Amino acid sequence: MKNTEVLVIGGGPAGLSAAAEAASYGAKVMIVDSDLRLGGQLIKQTHKFFGSAFERAGTRGFVISDMLLDELKGYGDRVETYSNCTALGYYKDDGVVNCMEGEENYFKVLPKKILVATGAQERLIPFPNNDLPGVYGAGAVQTLMNVYGVVPGKRVLMVGAGNIGLIVSYQLLQAGVEVAAIVEAMPRIGGYWVHAAKVRRLGVPILLEHSIKEALGKDVVEGAIIQQISPGCGFIGEEIHVDCDVICMAVGLNPTCELLWQAGCEMKYVPQLCGHVAIRDRSMRTTNPNVWVAGDAAGIEEASSAMVEGRIAGLSMAHELGYVEDKEYREKSALYWERLNALRNGEASAKIREGIAQVLMESSGGMER
Amino acid sequence: MSKSEGLYNSGVLPPEMYEQHEPPKELWESKKNGLVIVECPQRIPCNPCHTGCPTGAIMEFADINDIPKVDYSKCTGCAMCVAKCPGLACFVADLTYGGDEEALLKLPYEMLPLPNEGEEVECLNREGKVVSKGKVLKIVEPWKDKTKVVHVAVPKSLVMEIRAIRVVRSR
Ligand SMILES: Cc1cc2nc3c(=O)[nH]c(=O)nc-3n(C[C@H](O)[C@H](O)[C@H](O)COP(=O)(O)OP(=O)(O)OC[C@H]3O[C@@H](n4cnc5c(N)ncnc54)[C@H](O)[C@@H]3O)c2cc1C
Ligand code: SF4
Ligand code: SF4
């Protein structure tokens, strides 16, 4: 059995920020992450980020990850990291988390405080032949290209014009892969307008109110049928044949919340946050007093907000452990909330604001929560 | 959905929105080195165009979600914002460059291959259609972060049309 004061599950921007914050006050932190490298989504993001200077806007995602890891190095032995290590389960009765490192090393951890920062899982949509090789999630395409330097194919049909679909399309073009078209079921792009403008000017059509009907091919994807859709009426108009060898799905993410269910946290289905999320207070503490949540696991949002939520959770865990003076805690927490609110102030975040309003509880006892 | 709505909703600035994005004519025509054009019409939480502008021409944001506002009298055409903006939404157009026929555009570029100085490239409009050829005059990397700014001579009548270039080489 290993012991630690803070266990951070998931080493993406939320988890790393929380670890840095807690360690900066002296807490002993352990980070576990399933991936081979820490950084979460950031390591595949070669584009420059939005947000404010505080959250390192204008900097490329993977560079932000390196900056966070450097910050953690500064805390020396206080921070212990395990990559290729998955938290498998949480035992509510004794508070033990069991982990599997690689395929051999199974161990248990007894942490005083736990942060679940497990990020998100990709959604798929049903259509005939969606199990053919060549149908990818956007995350897989990004990992292949930007982590391993492998292109997924020659010509891609992108499904979904949210930020992920738009950004991955741009990155495919950068890698020399053709993007035949982006289909989007809604009458407007869901992602930022400027991201759409970037791919449009390079000649990629975005077909609004269109979706994929079927993947074509016998052993692998050889094409796709797309068609216009009308709200409430399903497919209308002529079927369009698209020549492609990859169909990339960017139709949304769901929070990864299994461990939160296991921890007995009160959960709520909130469509604006893209799935089941834990009820939490302003310190990101759930209804299980030893469990905090931050980042996409707390509702699908952005790396910028994930980092601030991580800071808030890290600060609060350190405070609960007695490392932070009450006054300092109050002031810093107010500062972080100011940043978070600023990030969430735009029209693109209206949905997030509605979602957060449904899951934020007043206080779970203790001070200033 | 009207045609211009369809364009806008898919990420293309429709012609009736050009005017509100153009710098004031008189200043623009006489300003050596050019003036910035910022095509960022949606409120999003983002401000590197302001923080990266050395002269304060892109004004401070009261709210980070504000649409960028430009004080054209302060803009030097330096194109630092062109390379900083994560949305690749800033461009510089220098109307003093080539007499009545030509103008100079400073466009962000993150593709391969890099054009050579002096090379003729295809100029693309906001929908990716080739609308002219253009000659690359210079390539710079203002922030040394891999985003290049390509200076390209284009037909003057197309400064509000051309927003990207493509290198064409026979293999
Ligand atoms: C294509 C794309 C572009 C984006 N662009 C931007 C942008 O420009 N600006 C911006 O702010 N945001 C952007 N985002 C969003 C941003 O990447 C995410 O919101 C952010 O990464 C969420 O951080 P996180 O730490 O919550 O989760 P993640 O980064 O997903 O990290 C979660 C980590 O947890 C690990 N994990 C999961 N379960 C377990 C377990 N049981 N045990 C151990 N480890 C586990 C995973 O391996 C992963 O490493 C983009 C996302 C994508 C996909
Ligand atoms: S061109 Fe230079 S001066 Fe003008 S807005 Fe951009 S950064 Fe500022
Ligand atoms: S940096 Fe670019 S995308 Fe961001 S607000 Fe400024 S112009 Fe818009």
Side-chain angles (χ1 to χ4, degrees):
Chain A
M1 180 84 70
K2 296 181 198 286
N3 287 289
T4 182
E5 289 183 315
V6 173
L7 174 67
V8 172
I9 305 174
L16 295 180
S17 302
E21 186 77 15
S24 76
Y25 286 102
K28 191 169 165 289
V29 182
M30 177 193 270
I31 309 173
V32 297
D33 193 288
S34 309
D35 238 312
L36 297 180
R37 255 162 75 185
L38 293 179
Q41 295 291 320
L42 291 176
I43 62 170
K44 18 180 161 156
Q45 286 161 17
T46 50
H47 64 288
K48 291 180 183 169
F49 268 38
F50 287 76
S52 73
F54 282 129
E55 286 79 38
R56 305 178 171 124
T59 309
R60 297 183 197 282
F62 67 95
V63 178
I64 299 179
S65 165
D66 290 344
M67 288 170 162
L68 287 169
L69 291 171
D70 274 350
E71 187 182 345
L72 286 174
K73 272 198 206 114
Y75 302 122
D77 294 346
R78 231 179 292 152
V79 182
E80 210 182 339
T81 62
Y82 292 83
S83 50
N84 194 12
C85 180
T86 301
L88 303 169
Y90 173 81
Y91 294 86
K92 211 169 60 185
D93 297 339
D94 50 11
V96 167
V97 175
N98 56 355
C99 296
M100 185 72 158
E101 188 185 20
E103 292 181 3
E104 301 283 321
N105 186 21
Y106 173 88
F107 62 86
K108 294 180 182 174
V109 190
L110 181 60
K112 293 200 172 118
K113 311 287 167 202
I114 299 174
L115 172 68
V116 176
T118 44
Q121 279 158 352
E122 280 185 293
R123 281 186 205 163
L124 285 178
I125 51 173
F127 53 85
N129 290 331
N130 75 353
D131 58 346
L132 277 179
V135 179
Y136 287 88
V141 166
Q142 254 202 333
T143 305
L144 269 181
M145 285 197 303
N146 301 347
V147 182
Y148 299 110
V150 176
V151 292
K154 294 198 178 73
R155 196 171 146 90
V156 175
L157 171 69
M158 182 65 68
V159 183
N163 274 332
I164 297 181
L166 296 171
I167 291 171
V168 173
S169 294
Y170 184 73
Q171 294 175 350
L172 283 159
L173 296 171
Q174 286 182 307
V177 179
E178 265 183 82
V179 179
I182 303 175
V183 288
E184 167 58 54
M186 302 304 288
R188 63 181 57 80
I189 46 159
Y192 292 164
W193 189 90
V194 287
H195 281 318
K198 271 195 222 178
V199 291
R200 291 289 268 137
R201 69 172 80 109
L202 296 175
V204 177
I206 298 182
L207 304 172
L208 302 171
E209 298 182 323
H210 276 70
S211 189
I212 183 166
K213 194 170 190 186
E214 185 177 348
L216 303 175
K218 196 166 149 290
D219 299 319
V220 294
V221 170
E222 290 164 13
I225 305 275
I226 60 171
Q227 200 173 13
Q228 195 179 349
I229 48 177
S230 104
C233 306
F235 287 105
I236 54 168
E238 294 218 358
E239 293 189 342
I240 306 168
H241 179 270
V242 179
D243 201 17
C244 59
D245 60 354
V246 172
I247 296 168
C248 183
M249 310 296 299
V251 290
L253 302 166
N254 295 123
T256 306
C257 54
E258 290 82 357
L259 291 168
L260 295 161
W261 285 107
Q262 287 179 12
C265 304
E266 188 183 336
M267 304 291 285
K268 187 168 178 183
Y269 182 79
V270 182
Q272 292 93 334
L273 300 178
C274 303
H276 279 99
V277 292
I279 304 280
R280 81 296 299 252
D281 65 14
R282 287 171 69 85
S283 69
M284 299 309 293
R285 193 185 213 174
T286 69
T287 52
N288 178 329
N290 290 324
V291 178
W292 278 252
V293 67
D296 280 355
I300 304 301
E301 211 177 332
E302 298 264 292
S304 44
S305 46
M307 287 189 275
V308 186
E309 284 187 349
R311 295 277 165 189
I312 293 171
L315 177 71
S316 170
M317 290 186 290
H319 176 248
E320 286 296 319
L321 289 164
Y323 287 108
V324 190
E325 302 276 338
D326 287 355
K327 180 163 175 285
E328 162 93 1
Y329 172 72
R330 269 197 303 273
E331 285 170 3
K332 211 155 170 204
S333 152
L335 177 79
Y336 286 146
W337 268 95
E338 215 173 279
R339 284 193 205 164
L340 204 48
N341 288 334
L343 288 173
R344 288 175 176 159
N345 214 0
E347 70 191 43
S349 305
K351 218 176 64 152
I352 300 290
R353 291 196 299 271
E354 285 167 27
I356 300 288
Q358 294 174 50
V359 290
L360 209 56
M361 61 182 170
E362 267 312 306
S363 138
S364 62
M367 189 217 106
E368 225 312 90
R369 275 189 304 270
Chain B
M1 208 185 311
S2 74
K3 179 153 184 280
S4 73
E5 214 181 325
L7 281 175
Y8 183 79
N9 286 355
S10 71
V12 175
L13 202 71
E16 58 268 33
M17 289 181 75
Y18 291 2
E19 212 182 304
Q20 71 197 77
H21 288 86
E22 278 173 21
K25 274 265 158 1
E26 223 164 283
L27 183 65
W28 198 12
E29 273 160 10
S30 62
K31 188 83 170 223
K32 255 186 93 66
N33 235 346
L35 289 176
V36 73
I37 300 165
V38 184
E39 297 184 2
C40 183
Q42 180 192 35
R43 283 172 57 80
I44 50 173
C46 183
N47 70 5
C49 51
H50 160 68
T51 53
C53 172
T55 66
I58 298 184
M59 294 187 249
E60 194 170 341
F61 290 53
D63 171 341
I64 187 166
N65 293 281
D66 287 348
I67 288 167
K69 283 202 245 4
V70 185
D71 178 351
Y72 293 97
S73 68
K74 288 191 184 154
C75 177
T76 60
C78 69
M80 296 303 275
C81 57
V82 175
K84 192 74 182 181
C85 163
L88 306 190
C90 301
F91 314 89
V92 168
D94 180 357
L95 302 183
T96 69
Y97 160 78
D100 290 339
E101 293 304 311
E102 281 189 316
L104 182 134
L105 281 178
K106 303 177 190 175
L107 304 174
Y109 188 76
E110 297 186 323
M111 294 289 147
L112 289 171
L114 274 186
N116 295 315
E117 293 186 1
E119 185 169 345
E120 189 168 83
V121 293
E122 288 180 346
C123 298
L124 312 176
N125 70 6
R126 294 185 186 80
E127 290 178 80
K129 297 208 180 75
V130 180
V131 289
S132 78
K133 292 277 167 63
K135 189 173 162 191
V136 172
L137 303 169
K138 197 159 99 175
I139 302 162
V140 291
E141 190 181 338
W143 299 92
K144 301 283 168 258
D145 68 350
K146 298 207 164 89
T147 299
K148 306 285 198 288
V149 176
V150 174
H151 294 216
V152 53
V154 302
K156 199 168 206 165
S157 58
L158 295 177
V159 281
M160 279 310 279
E161 293 296 330
I162 294 168
R163 287 296 173 264
I165 58 150
R166 177 156 59 213
V167 177
V168 256
R169 288 179 193 160
S170 47
R171 285 162 221 208

